[in-house]
Amino acid sequence: MPKLIAGVDEVGRGPLVGDVVTAAVILDPEKPIVGLTDSKKLSEKKRDALAKLIKENALCWAIGRATPEEIDKLNILHATMLAMKRAVEGLAIQPDFVRVDGNRLPDWPYAAEAVVKGDALHGEISAASILAKVARDADMVALHAQHPQYNFAGHKGYPTKAHFAALETYGVLPCYRMSFKPVQARLAQEK
């Protein structure tokens, strides 16, 4: 019996708003998925199509999150590790081994390795990268529907010129990460 290997990746460490989102995926070796790679190298259409295939064909998958409040309390690195733990703990089948994209591992009981650029090297990490990106993008589209003037669907919460302009014009929403410097600067102006 081959080992059950979970891949884990995160999306959303850099944005000023919303959750940091992680995914954990155990692929089914009997149902290979063609085209898995780092989510950043795929078009939105291709990511969405692959996300559907992953959800249908993986042995199991789960999404983990850490909220802006948790990010502010713990810092972005520790909040990311917390979200990764939540993703792996959310799997219907517990893995024998976990591969995490990056150079750090959460403090957890699993046998694991951190793989730099793992989302381009291991299918299970690529799959996690895709699911996390699709989930976080969906969060930003939903936030855009509530606050269209910020254009969250366009910049996905990242610190772009357009985002800074919206922040300057409309101020800080409760879903912002209050500990991030550009948000703190805007809050200081409001006082």
Side-chain angles (χ1 to χ4, degrees):
M1 171 93 185
K3 274 204 215 173
L4 291 171
I5 299 173
V8 178
D9 200 1
E10 57 70 31
V11 172
R13 283 176 67 164
L16 307 177
V17 68
D19 295 351
V20 61
V21 178
T22 61
V25 179
I26 300 177
L27 293 172
D28 185 344
E30 304 295 311
K31 297 179 183 171
I33 299 167
V34 177
L36 294 177
T37 188
D38 172 359
S39 65
K40 293 181 286 298
K41 294 178 181 163
L42 298 166
S43 68
E44 184 177 357
K45 189 177 172 187
K46 186 75 177 148
R47 267 197 310 270
D48 290 344
L50 282 167
K52 189 172 183 291
L53 285 173
I54 293 161
K55 290 175 179 180
E56 289 168 358
N57 294 294
L59 290 175
C60 61
W61 60 274
I63 300 290
R65 299 169 172 279
T67 64
E69 295 78 17
E70 289 171 320
I71 293 165
D72 292 337
K73 187 176 161 196
L74 300 171
N75 82 32
I76 188 62
L77 174 66
H78 290 98
T80 301
M81 295 296 136
L82 176 62
M84 286 181 174
K85 279 184 183 175
R86 287 174 174 163
V88 176
E89 287 165 2
L91 290 170
I93 305 165
Q94 286 302 285
D96 302 311
F97 192 77
V98 183
R99 281 196 181 113
V100 176
D101 184 55
N103 60 4
R104 291 178 186 242
L105 291 172
D107 180 20
W108 60 15
Y110 304 99
E113 69 175 337
V115 184
V116 174
K117 305 242 185 275
D119 49 6
L121 299 170
H122 296 285
E124 60 276 7
I125 300 177
S126 302
S129 151
I130 291 164
L131 291 188
K133 174 80 173 131
V134 168
R136 188 172 147 84
D137 283 359
D139 291 354
M140 290 297 104
V141 169
L143 196 57
H144 181 92
Q146 295 169 6
H147 307 281
Q149 68 275 28
Y150 287 82
N151 189 28
F152 292 120
H155 54 66
K156 304 293 192 277
Y158 284 90
T160 64
K161 269 187 183 166
H163 191 180
F164 285 135
L167 194 56
E168 189 62 37
T169 305
Y170 304 109
V172 176
L173 297 168
C175 53
Y176 273 90
R177 299 171 181 181
M178 304 302 169
S179 60
F180 279 39
K181 283 191 172 68
V183 180
Q184 285 182 335
R186 184 65 182 87
L187 288 169
Q189 282 179 352
E190 288 173 19
K191 287 178 185 161

